[in-house]
Amino acid sequence: LQEAKYGPILSKIKENEENLHFKEAEELLFQLLSEAPQEPNFYLKLGQLYMKRKQFDKAILFYLKGLHLAPH
């Protein structure tokens, strides 16, 4: 994960989550995925976001995708 490149957006995502602005956080995560579709952490973060929103089916899909891409 390139912290220098993605750090500001990740901070904004965290801020949105803390303020319960889940839709904004979701949009930012999809923006990151469009830039780095092979980054497992972004999928895992989406899974966490969907868990918070009690959207369990979506959470499972994104957790599995993130785990599939994560190095073993």
Side-chain angles (χ1 to χ4, degrees):
L1 184 62
Q2 299 172 4
E3 190 64 35
K5 183 174 182 178
Y6 300 116
I9 297 175
L10 291 170
S11 294
K12 186 68 175 169
I13 291 167
K14 183 178 178 183
E15 179 183 321
N16 279 318
E17 285 185 286
E18 289 171 352
N19 293 318
L20 305 179
H21 299 148
F22 296 127
K23 186 66 178 167
E24 291 87 347
E26 178 186 37
E27 289 170 3
L28 289 169
L29 281 164
F30 276 111
Q31 178 184 335
L32 289 177
L33 281 175
S34 72
E35 295 177 25
Q38 297 301 312
E39 177 53 58
N41 290 318
F42 298 156
Y43 292 96
L44 297 174
K45 287 184 181 297
L46 262 170
Q48 292 170 337
L49 179 68
Y50 288 129
M51 286 296 288
K52 290 178 184 177
R53 296 175 76 180
K54 299 189 183 327
Q55 295 179 314
F56 303 118
D57 290 344
K58 285 185 177 181
I60 290 168
L61 288 174
F62 282 96
Y63 279 140
L64 289 173
K65 179 71 173 178
L67 290 173
H68 176 73
L69 291 173
H72 296 88

